[in-house]
Amino acid sequence: MREVYISADNIITPLGFTTDENAASMLAGETGIRIVKEENMSPLPFYASLIDPKLLLGRFSIFDDPAKYTRFDKMAICSIKDAVSSTELNLTDSRTLFILSTTKGNIDLLETDSSDKRLYLWNTARMLQQYFNFSNEPLVVSDACISGVQAIITGVRLIKAGLYDNCIINGTDIISEFVLSGFNSFKSISTGPCRPFDRTRDGLSLGEGSGTIILTSDPSACGNVKIVAGDGFSTNDANHISGPSRTGEGLYIAISKLLKNTPVKVDFISAHGTATLYNDEMESIAMTRAGLQEVPVNSFKGYWGHTLGAAGVIESVMSIYSIRNSILFNTAGFSESGVTNPLNIVNASVSKDIGNCMKIASGFGGCNAAILFHRK
Amino acid sequence: MKRACTIASYCSIRGNKVILDDKLLYKGPEDHFSDFASGVYKHFSVSYPKFHKMDNLGKLGFLAAEILLKGRDIINKYPADKTGIMLMNSSSSLDTDRNHQRTISNSNDYFPSPAVFVYTLPNVVIGEICIRHKFYGEGNFFIMEKFNPSFMVNYISQLFDNDIVDCCITGWVEIDGDNFESVLFLIEKSSRTETGIANFEPATIESIYNRK
């Protein structure tokens, strides 16, 4: 069976335009979540992690005309461009597939024209594919908040099945009035920066960002510390379309399938950790049922909020960074446990040798996913 | 290891017609999808109150799955965590996205609702079918311009090859403006006693998809 390796990656959040910039900001204790007063998005101020439009424009203008592209496009292009430039793989041949992970794509365009072609996610993916001269019709994964993890699982499967040798996976979502009004109607936005797993948590912070992972079957194009993207699984709670399962059933099944398939001692778990009451409680139940309550677990949401369809990619990139650089990142916003099944929440960034990481995610529609990354 | 799988059944809902394995089961006179969907619901004597809360994409996928699985006893035939759903379409949840946008476009008439917003994600139809039929396994929603039988067969086959599913609903569920089309296939691992209606191959899938 062929293995799948990580060749290059990138993340773009308010904390930086590269993976290294993000890590440096995180270790300096920064967060991208701040109070936002934008009346065209919400009549009342709210906390979110938004990318500075001027900064994005400046970065993009260095290599192309920003007027030709939407905000979503610019973020995705910047992220893919940085990742592609740091791999020696030839990504324009027919053995390479581009996969876009997003929940809403260019949804802000709906405000002005409900039939704009750029609202179609396949069209956005095709524009990105053509921009970078990738071959093949691109694939779009849209599975709510597990999209990013699911896109990586899909890429791993397609490479293992021998259908492709390389996959470029980009996850991007933007925050506009559309998404903000919806989460507000669910009353799931926190009153301050989100506090994953904390006793006082009261909701999520939305965030926008873009992340890219380049998967390959060729280990020679993956640097000295080789990281394998292992098998992953998705499941459904078969319980409720918007409320997390009270027994953590779907997530528990996903984790169990993964551990049955790859029996390892898990070194670190990157949780979904949105900081809503029900999500974090559900995750604590599922991890405890799976016997993982002693394993160090963090949530990255306190650094850049919930980046929706980008979250699984961005957080996987930072999990891979954790393995490569032997660092466990603090759970920003956490101080005292507020879940009924206590977990080993990482509450300070520390140096630690990590051989593998399990990334988990859950989302609307009752979907759950788990994947394992490990050092070769 | 390759594990053979077969097309056990298919159901299409389009052009105001419901077809199950080449048999026309219902033809409706309705002008709009929501009325047609209610007609199908009544004709097949479905009794599921949650149906009425679903958006159009949810109703379309739900009804096709309902007709496809009727009398098949999937719940007792396979382990629940090895039953999966993989769906595809072109316009994601744009039909409901437009509805949500209407609730927020006027600050004097601002009424966003969680009951609408939750359906602004295409995979929620997968959740609806999973809840109804107790499918706990793989769920994937892919967006592509047109129905792609080769991708479908490649993707589903590796799920069977790797023993991830024993049974899978897969197909196309699309609604955009007045146009709707759902063609769902029930794929099961091959057994000696049941052969299904056809081999699970791109050419077969394409030919069924084109039988309008």
XYZ file of all heavy atoms in Angstrom, chain A residues 233-240 245 247-255 257 289 365-369, chain B residues 74-75 78-85 126-127 129-140 164-165 167:
390
model
N -11.565 8.782 8.619
C -12.935 8.284 8.461
C -13.930 9.386 8.777
O -13.671 10.227 9.642
C -13.172 7.095 9.412
C -12.243 5.949 9.129
C -11.005 5.861 9.759
C -12.568 4.990 8.180
C -10.124 4.825 9.483
C -11.686 3.952 7.895
C -10.466 3.872 8.540
N -15.061 9.358 8.083
C -16.145 10.255 8.461
C -17.355 9.420 8.849
O -17.493 8.268 8.428
C -16.486 11.231 7.329
O -17.177 10.589 6.293
N -18.203 10.016 9.673
C -19.387 9.309 10.177
C -20.535 10.291 10.315
O -20.349 11.508 10.161
C -19.130 8.719 11.583
O -18.717 9.778 12.439
C -18.088 7.619 11.562
N -21.707 9.767 10.624
C -22.853 10.625 10.905
C -23.474 10.213 12.242
O -23.511 9.039 12.571
C -23.879 10.537 9.773
C -24.812 11.737 9.793
O -25.709 11.819 10.618
N -24.579 12.689 8.909
N -23.966 11.231 12.990
C -24.625 10.949 14.269
C -25.992 10.300 14.077
O -26.530 9.693 15.010
C -24.872 12.253 15.049
C -23.596 12.881 15.567
O -22.649 12.139 15.861
O -23.549 14.125 15.675
N -26.599 10.492 12.894
C -27.967 10.018 12.623
C -28.902 10.431 13.753
O -29.725 9.651 14.237
C -27.977 8.501 12.416
N -28.744 11.671 14.197
C -29.458 12.125 15.391
C -30.142 13.478 15.217
O -31.321 13.618 15.463
C -28.460 12.170 16.555
C -29.047 12.749 17.814
O -30.020 12.216 18.329
N -28.488 13.843 18.288
N -29.405 14.495 14.761
C -29.970 15.850 14.661
C -29.159 16.627 13.627
O -27.949 16.436 13.547
C -29.894 16.541 16.025
C -30.797 17.724 16.143
N -30.448 18.963 15.655
C -32.043 17.863 16.663
C -31.434 19.822 15.870
N -32.419 19.171 16.484
N -24.556 15.357 18.983
C -25.087 14.184 19.676
C -24.754 14.241 21.159
O -23.636 14.570 21.540
C -24.470 12.926 19.069
O -24.585 11.854 19.959
N -24.431 11.784 23.079
C -23.561 10.663 23.446
C -22.244 10.700 22.664
O -21.400 9.835 22.848
C -24.255 9.324 23.144
O -24.589 9.301 21.745
C -25.520 9.156 23.957
N -22.096 11.697 21.778
C -20.884 11.766 20.965
C -20.757 10.591 20.011
O -19.653 10.241 19.576
N -21.888 9.989 19.654
C -21.879 8.723 18.928
C -21.052 8.757 17.633
O -20.165 7.933 17.433
C -23.333 8.314 18.609
C -23.493 6.897 18.112
C -23.099 5.849 19.140
O -23.035 6.172 20.335
O -22.844 4.698 18.725
N -21.383 9.711 16.755
C -20.713 9.745 15.451
C -19.212 9.962 15.587
O -18.401 9.285 14.937
N -18.824 10.912 16.454
C -17.392 11.190 16.629
C -16.691 9.979 17.255
O -15.575 9.615 16.858
C -17.198 12.435 17.498
C -15.747 12.861 17.721
C -15.021 13.126 16.406
C -15.675 14.104 18.614
N -17.367 9.360 18.215
C -16.804 8.160 18.847
C -16.576 7.059 17.801
O -15.521 6.409 17.802
C -17.740 7.664 19.962
C -17.395 6.276 20.450
C -16.253 6.065 21.213
C -18.202 5.185 20.117
C -15.908 4.787 21.640
C -17.868 3.907 20.546
C -16.716 3.708 21.295
O -16.378 2.448 21.706
N -17.533 6.877 16.905
C -17.375 5.837 15.873
C -16.201 6.192 14.947
O -15.392 5.333 14.588
C -18.676 5.651 15.046
C -19.827 5.152 15.936
C -18.464 4.663 13.907
C -21.182 5.128 15.240
N -16.094 7.466 14.576
C -14.992 7.883 13.689
C -13.636 7.614 14.346
O -12.717 7.073 13.716
C -15.139 9.365 13.326
N -13.508 7.997 15.635
C -12.244 7.781 16.355
C -11.967 6.277 16.481
O -10.838 5.815 16.270
C -12.299 8.440 17.756
C -12.354 9.970 17.634
C -11.090 8.027 18.604
C -12.611 10.695 18.953
N -12.995 3.806 14.568
C -12.609 3.255 13.270
C -11.138 3.547 12.988
O -10.398 2.703 12.497
C -13.457 3.874 12.149
C -14.845 3.324 12.044
C -15.508 3.863 10.771
C -16.872 3.223 10.588
N -17.309 3.258 9.191
N -15.114 8.240 25.885
C -15.592 6.900 25.491
C -14.505 6.127 24.750
O -14.422 4.908 24.835
C -16.829 7.024 24.588
C -18.107 7.338 25.336
C -19.292 7.430 24.388
N -19.644 6.152 23.783
C -20.551 6.014 22.822
N -21.200 7.070 22.354
N -20.827 4.824 22.324
N -25.414 18.906 10.124
C -25.732 17.731 9.327
C -25.377 16.466 10.089
O -25.564 15.363 9.602
N -24.821 16.637 11.318
C -24.461 15.482 12.149
C -23.180 14.799 11.730
O -22.921 13.659 12.106
N -22.345 15.507 10.934
C -21.142 14.850 10.405
C -19.953 14.965 11.370
O -19.843 15.919 12.141
C -20.784 15.415 9.042
S -20.596 17.194 8.984
N -19.090 13.974 11.313
C -17.870 13.924 12.139
C -16.747 13.332 11.304
O -17.011 12.543 10.390
C -18.063 12.996 13.342
C -19.274 13.369 14.167
O -19.188 14.187 15.062
N -20.422 12.779 13.851
N -15.506 13.690 11.650
C -14.378 13.102 10.923
C -13.166 13.025 11.832
O -13.021 13.811 12.773
C -14.053 13.913 9.675
N -32.278 -2.367 5.093
C -30.828 -2.128 5.162
C -30.347 -2.142 6.620
O -29.259 -2.636 6.925
C -30.487 -0.766 4.505
C -30.854 -0.775 3.023
C -29.023 -0.394 4.714
C -30.072 -1.721 2.162
N -31.188 -1.612 7.502
C -30.804 -1.461 8.912
C -30.441 -2.807 9.560
O -29.579 -2.878 10.427
C -31.927 -0.718 9.685
C -31.408 -0.141 11.010
C -33.137 -1.604 9.919
C -32.340 0.861 11.634
N -26.911 -4.728 7.278
C -25.499 -4.312 7.377
C -25.247 -3.604 8.702
O -26.155 -2.970 9.247
C -25.158 -3.348 6.231
C -25.371 -3.935 4.863
C -26.415 -3.493 4.054
C -24.525 -4.935 4.375
C -26.616 -4.036 2.793
C -24.720 -5.483 3.114
C -25.772 -5.029 2.329
O -25.967 -5.564 1.090
N -23.986 -3.648 9.203
C -23.657 -2.848 10.386
C -23.892 -1.362 10.073
O -23.513 -0.893 8.983
C -22.163 -3.117 10.605
C -21.826 -4.318 9.774
C -22.827 -4.384 8.667
N -24.515 -0.647 11.011
C -24.890 0.756 10.755
C -23.682 1.628 10.406
O -23.793 2.566 9.614
C -25.610 1.316 11.969
N -22.506 1.321 10.986
C -21.346 2.178 10.718
C -20.667 1.822 9.388
O -19.654 2.408 9.031
C -20.350 2.139 11.884
C -19.708 0.783 12.065
O -20.149 -0.186 11.414
O -18.752 0.691 12.859
N -21.250 0.858 8.664
C -20.730 0.568 7.321
C -21.758 0.883 6.232
O -21.698 0.359 5.132
C -20.251 -0.881 7.250
C -18.962 -1.058 8.083
C -18.459 -2.465 8.056
C -17.646 -2.731 6.807
N -17.107 -4.118 6.817
N -22.711 1.763 6.595
C -23.642 2.275 5.598
C -23.288 3.741 5.365
O -23.196 4.523 6.321
C -25.093 2.162 6.098
O -25.185 2.728 7.407
C -25.543 0.705 6.172
N -23.060 4.116 4.126
C -22.589 5.467 3.834
C -23.416 6.170 2.773
O -24.242 5.555 2.094
N -23.171 7.476 2.640
C -23.867 8.278 1.630
C -22.864 9.219 0.968
O -22.129 9.937 1.650
C -25.002 9.116 2.269
C -26.011 8.192 2.982
C -25.705 9.963 1.204
C -27.137 8.921 3.686
N -27.679 14.900 3.549
C -27.095 13.614 3.973
C -27.509 13.322 5.414
O -27.929 12.208 5.746
C -25.551 13.625 3.838
C -25.159 13.721 2.363
C -24.929 12.388 4.505
C -23.655 13.773 2.115
N -27.434 14.364 6.264
C -27.843 14.206 7.656
C -29.301 13.771 7.758
O -29.635 12.890 8.558
N -31.104 12.074 5.610
C -31.269 10.672 5.197
C -30.686 9.742 6.269
O -31.257 8.698 6.588
C -30.614 10.426 3.813
C -31.270 11.307 2.746
C -30.719 8.950 3.421
C -30.555 11.309 1.394
N -29.551 10.143 6.856
C -28.933 9.332 7.919
C -29.854 9.209 9.127
O -29.972 8.128 9.718
C -27.600 9.948 8.365
S -26.283 9.731 7.166
N -30.493 10.309 9.501
C -31.393 10.279 10.665
C -32.563 9.331 10.383
O -32.915 8.485 11.204
C -31.920 11.704 10.985
C -30.783 12.587 11.487
C -33.053 11.646 12.013
C -31.122 14.075 11.552
N -33.147 9.451 9.194
C -34.314 8.647 8.837
C -33.979 7.146 8.776
O -34.743 6.314 9.249
C -34.840 9.118 7.477
C -35.889 8.240 6.846
C -37.179 8.206 7.649
N -38.275 7.700 6.855
C -39.463 7.368 7.359
N -39.676 7.500 8.654
N -40.416 6.928 6.574
N -32.828 6.824 8.173
C -32.534 5.406 7.914
C -31.428 4.829 8.806
O -30.987 3.708 8.595
C -32.170 5.212 6.433
C -33.288 5.604 5.520
N -34.413 4.837 5.350
C -33.468 6.711 4.763
C -35.241 5.448 4.508
N -34.690 6.589 4.144
N -30.977 5.637 9.787
C -29.957 5.204 10.746
C -28.660 4.738 10.062
O -28.133 3.666 10.343
C -30.503 4.107 11.683
C -31.637 4.600 12.561
C -31.136 5.628 13.588
C -32.245 6.554 14.063
N -31.800 7.838 14.580
N -28.191 5.586 9.148
C -26.890 5.371 8.522
C -25.845 6.111 9.368
O -25.951 7.314 9.555
C -26.876 5.954 7.092
C -27.438 5.048 6.032
C -28.518 4.223 6.276
C -26.882 5.046 4.752
C -29.041 3.394 5.289
C -27.394 4.231 3.753
C -28.478 3.406 4.014
N -24.855 5.402 9.869
C -23.843 6.039 10.726
C -22.464 6.170 10.056
O -21.538 6.692 10.644
C -23.672 5.245 12.024
C -24.788 5.428 13.025
C -25.920 4.632 12.986
C -24.704 6.413 14.003
C -26.946 4.794 13.916
C -25.720 6.582 14.934
C -26.838 5.776 14.883
O -27.839 5.947 15.801
N -22.322 5.618 8.842
C -20.985 5.584 8.241
C -20.644 6.820 7.426
O -21.182 7.908 7.647
N -19.750 6.652 6.481
C -19.199 7.734 5.658
C -20.258 8.664 5.071
O -21.277 8.204 4.547
C -18.428 7.126 4.480
C -17.117 6.500 4.857
C -16.071 7.506 5.248
O -15.979 8.575 4.623
O -15.324 7.222 6.194
N -19.993 9.962 5.112
C -20.844 10.939 4.429
C -19.973 11.909 3.671
O -19.059 12.502 4.247
N -20.226 12.060 2.383
C -19.432 12.995 1.562
C -20.346 13.754 0.630
O -21.185 13.137 -0.029
C -18.453 12.254 0.639
C -17.406 11.467 1.371
O -16.288 11.921 1.539
N -17.759 10.272 1.802
N -14.623 -0.024 3.945
C -15.144 1.104 4.718
C -16.679 1.088 4.712
O -17.315 1.473 5.684
C -14.575 2.443 4.179
C -13.060 2.489 4.411
C -15.248 3.639 4.838
C -12.348 3.613 3.701
N -17.271 0.654 3.612
C -18.742 0.514 3.555
C -19.118 -0.868 3.003
O -18.354 -1.484 2.257
C -19.419 1.598 2.673
C -19.210 2.991 3.238
C -18.936 1.529 1.222
N -22.554 -0.898 2.126
C -23.758 -0.440 1.459
C -23.673 1.082 1.380
O -23.222 1.727 2.332
C -24.956 -0.863 2.304
S -26.489 -0.083 1.836
